[in-house]
Each structure stands twice: as C-alpha cells, then as structure tokens.
Amino acid sequence: RIEYAFIGRSNVGKSSLINMLCNHKGLSKTSSTPGKTLLINHFLINDEWYLVDLPGYGFAKRSKKVQADIEKMINTYILQREQLVNLFVLIDVRHEQQKIDRAFIDWLGENEIPFTIVFTKADKLGTVKAKANAAQWMEQLRDAWEELPPYFITSSEKRTGREELLAYIDEINQSLL
Ligand code: GDP
C-alpha cells in the first residue's frame, strides 16, 4: 500500500494533526510498527493508504548520537521507500522561516522528493494573519525554487484544513489508480 509521511520539528503539532486526520468514522488508526522501525509509526487509513508518522528533526534535547541515528533513519526512509507518494512537511505558521526547515526542504528538492507544506496552529494567529504569514514564508522559497510546492493552512485545535488535506490525498490516490 502507498504511504504519505508527515514530518516536522518537535512540537510543531504533528501528533495533533495526525489525530485530527485520523479521528472520524472510516479512518481507523491501526498502528503497526514493524520490527526495526520503532520510531516510524504507520496508521492504516480507510484500508487504503498508510499515514506514516516520522520522528521530528532538529530536536536539541536529544544527544548528538541519537539525533544523527534518527536523521539517518529518516533520510533512508525518504530516499528509499518506494511506497512513499508524498511527504507533508509541517511548519508552525507563527514562526519565521527556520534554517533547519529550509535546509530540509532544499534537500528534498535536490533529491526530487514530492512534498507539500502544512502550516500548523493557525488558530493561534487568526485566519488573516495566518494566511499572510504562510504566504510570506512561501515567498521566501523563491530565491531557490522556481516553482513553489503546494501548501495548506491548518488548525488541529479548530479542526480546519482537515477536509482539504484529505481531499488532496484522495486526489493523489485516484491519480495513481
Ligand atoms: P508534535 O511534537 O509535533 O507531535 O506536537 P503536538 O501535536 O504534541 O503539539 C505540541 C503542542 O502544540 C501541544 O501543546 C498542542 O496542544 C499544541 N498544538 C498542536 N496543534 C495545535 C493547534 O492547531 N492549535 C493550538 N492552539 N495548539 C496546538
């Protein structure tokens, strides 16, 4: 089955977003954690596709060794996983563009990994300000990116952006049939 993976810095709101996406009838959260991938969780959705929860990158509280191991595992998954269709990169909509996020995104580009940006915690700013911040954040990619990736603005608190994200995934699923 095909996979859609979610990644972002620690505390970006990844667990909340995944919970929001998973919880309603029809979306079953069946975590299957195969052997070695203790840190990569799979959730089977609609008996159709796997939502893959990747560990956070750039978490300062981890030791360098642990962090390096995690990054290696993430990179291997992203570069080698044939089932991976698209990666969702989560960004806290309140924040300026961070070097670590930017470096990660540029790395995805260099490796031609399809990805989509998901801005989180929009309710903390309100719709207007969240939209402005997100647009500005995206514009900053233009120095290196000819074509900007798609993006969504979400709030797990208010459950906004949920239908749009699921429809987007569904559209990709349909195009792959
Ligand atoms: P993770 O570490 O990326 O999995 O982040 P979590 O989902 O655990 O969220 C980190 C913190 O941000 C928690 O205190 C959440 O309650 C809060 N949070 C996550 N999403 C939202 C959101 O959409 N709105 C608000 N106001 N808070 C959020």
Side-chain angles (χ1 to χ4, degrees):
R1 284 201 182 83
I2 58 174
E3 300 181 353
Y4 294 85
F6 289 72
I7 196 167
R9 298 182 71 184
S10 181
N11 212 42
V12 72
K14 184 165 53 74
S15 311
S16 305
L17 184 85
I18 289 173
N19 281 335
M20 168 174 88
L21 291 175
C22 287
N23 102 60
H24 89 145
K25 60 178 161 53
L27 300 192
S28 61
K29 187 171 134 178
T30 59
S31 178
S32 71
T33 312
K36 69 181 173 79
T37 57
L38 259 182
L39 291 158
I40 297 182
N41 288 299
H42 286 61
F43 302 89
L44 181 59
I45 311 284
N46 274 346
D47 225 23
E48 218 174 37
W49 53 275
Y50 279 109
L51 186 160
V52 178
D53 184 5
L54 293 173
Y57 53 82
F59 188 30
K61 282 183 189 146
R62 290 187 188 122
S63 75
K64 284 225 160 61
K65 164 90 173 82
V66 169
Q67 188 55 31
D69 287 349
I70 290 172
E71 267 160 33
K72 201 168 158 202
M73 181 185 70
I74 293 172
N75 292 1
T76 304
Y77 170 84
I78 292 171
L79 295 176
Q80 296 182 2
R81 192 76 170 173
E82 279 174 22
Q83 300 96 312
L84 178 65
V85 175
N86 191 64
L87 187 64
F88 291 94
V89 181
L90 275 57
I91 302 288
D92 188 321
V93 77
R94 296 170 297 171
H95 296 169
E96 297 274 304
Q97 196 168 88
Q98 309 277 309
K99 276 208 182 84
I100 188 160
D101 292 318
R102 181 57 194 265
F104 180 68
I105 284 170
D106 288 346
W107 177 82
L108 292 175
E110 283 155 24
N111 290 285
E112 297 181 43
I113 305 294
F115 70 97
T116 303
I117 306 282
V118 178
F119 291 100
T120 60
K121 309 190 187 182
D123 61 285
K124 293 214 184 215
L125 290 181
T127 312
V128 174
K129 185 86 170 73
K131 275 189 181 169
N133 269 27
Q136 193 191 17
W137 198 99
M138 294 303 294
E139 275 309 309
Q140 285 182 343
L141 294 180
R142 284 207 193 276
D143 54 30
W145 289 77
E146 229 162 82
E147 209 180 313
L148 299 185
Y151 70 97
F152 291 87
I153 301 172
T154 67
S155 159
S156 305
E157 186 77 24
K158 293 254 155 78
R159 298 180 69 81
T160 49
R162 181 178 184 280
E163 302 311 316
E164 290 84 351
L165 261 178
L166 290 173
Y168 175 75
I169 288 170
D170 211 44
E171 209 174 288
I172 300 176
N173 284 339
Q174 297 306 317
S175 75
L176 293 172
L177 287 180

